[in-house]
Amino acid sequence: MTDSAFTTEPAAPTIEKTPEPEFPQFRLIEKNLHVLTSTQGELVLPLQVKTKVFRRISEIDDEMKQLFAMLDDLGDAETPRKLDELDIFETQKIVGRFFEEFAAKAQATVGESQRSSNS
């Protein structure tokens, strides 16, 4: 029998792995939502939406078609193309955050109007 029932092998080197950054990443700058995506770079989504966009989507009966019609009008001409190339779950996060920021802006605007009329 040997001195030890277990042989001691050198410990394997520890490799620390940096966690992957989560995407999308958001920054609110003035009237725009800046989104850093996993594969398509940065998107800039304006939080100011023209009335004609709402008029056009109100004529569409299907909610999914309404959503895509609105996305087609956000940002520059490349924005819809870049959104189309993202994973659907990443796109859902972007759309969700856009509507959160849009709703917050709308509430702030209504609050400002009420304060102005109360003066």
Side-chain angles (χ1 to χ4, degrees):
M1 184 173 212
T2 60
D3 293 330
S4 172
F6 299 99
T7 57
T8 310
E9 294 189 27
T14 303
I15 301 173
E16 290 189 28
K17 197 171 185 182
T18 307
E20 294 290 323
E22 286 194 31
F23 290 100
Q25 297 174 1
F26 301 99
R27 288 180 294 145
L28 191 59
I29 302 174
E30 295 181 12
K31 298 175 183 175
N32 298 307
L33 179 62
H34 292 251
V35 183
L36 184 59
T37 67
S38 61
T39 61
Q40 298 299 308
E42 185 174 21
L43 303 175
V44 179
L45 304 175
L47 294 172
Q48 291 183 306
V49 181
K50 293 184 180 181
T51 303
K52 67 182 179 182
V53 172
F54 287 101
R55 183 186 312 273
R56 188 170 50 75
I57 65 172
S58 72
E59 296 170 358
I60 302 170
D61 291 333
D62 183 273
E63 286 185 21
M64 188 64 82
K65 289 180 181 177
Q66 286 179 338
L67 173 65
F68 287 117
M70 184 160 184
L71 291 177
D72 286 344
D73 284 324
L74 294 180
D76 60 19
E78 287 294 303
T79 300
R81 184 194 63 75
K82 288 179 177 181
L83 283 168
D84 283 348
E85 294 301 319
L86 291 174
D87 176 80
I88 189 64
F89 297 113
E90 187 170 0
T91 301
Q92 283 179 322
K93 289 178 185 176
I94 293 168
V95 169
R97 180 66 178 266
F98 172 81
F99 283 113
E100 284 176 20
E101 296 295 343
F102 185 82
K105 182 178 175 11
Q107 287 177 343
T109 302
V110 169
E112 290 169 2
S113 297
Q114 288 175 347
R115 271 186 258 119
S116 298
S117 64
N118 292 335
S119 300

